[in-house]
Amino acid sequence: MIAFKWNIENINDYQQSNLPENAEKLKAPASPEEMMKKSSPVMAIMCVVMIASILSKAFINHAMVVFVPTVLAGFVIGVVLLVVHEWLHAVVYPKEARTTIDKLKGQLIFVALASYPMKRSRFILMCLLPFLLGIIPLALFILSPAENTVFNGLMFGLACVGMVSPSPDVLNVIIAVKQVKKGEKIMFYGDDIYKL
C-alpha cells in the first residue's frame, strides 16, 4: 500500500515496524541531511557525466545543441518528477508493505518511507530504479539530432535532475553491498538501516 503525505516532521513516525531481535544496525548516515552530504561525491560524478555529455554532443556537431530556456524548463519538470522518483522506490516494495511518500517539512527533500525487510537484491533495485528518470531523457538527448535544440534542452534538464537526485540512493547501495551478505535481508527502521 502506498500513501502520500505532505510536510512531515519526523521520519521515525513512518518507519516503525517490528524490528527482529537479530537485526544488526548498519553503519550509515543518521539523517537525510547527513545522507545528502555523504553522497556529494556521487553527485559530483553525475554532474561530470552530464557536463561531458553536453560538451561532447556540442563538439561532435560543432553547434549549440540546446535552447537554454528549455534546459531550465527541464530542471523544473525534473523537480516536480521527484515525487515520481519516490514512487519508483515505493513500487518495488511488496504489496503488503506500507510505504509513505512524503516531503520533509521546510525542505525540498522528498522521501519514500517504509519499514519492511527485503532481500539485498530487491533493496538494490529499489534504490536504483529512479535512475530511469535520468537515463531515459539522457539517452533521448544523446540520440536526438543536434538541431532539435528545444527538445534537447528539455531532455538535458530532465536528465540532470534525474541523474543527480538518486545520489543518496547510490550511497545506500554502497552501504548494502559492503555490509550485507547475499541471502540477508535489509530494512529501514527509524532513521537507520538494519540487516537481518
Side-chain angles (χ1 to χ4, degrees), residues 142-168:
I142 291 169
L143 296 173
S144 174
E147 59 271 15
N148 291 348
T149 58
V150 170
F151 178 79
N152 290 341
L154 191 62
M155 289 302 104
F156 183 75
L158 279 168
C160 285
V161 177
M163 294 298 284
V164 173
S165 61
S167 298

Side-chain angles (χ1 to χ4, degrees), residues 7 19 53-54 87 125 171 187:
N7 287 333
L19 187 66
S53 70
I54 194 168
W87 180 81
L125 174 64
L171 184 58
M187 71 180 287

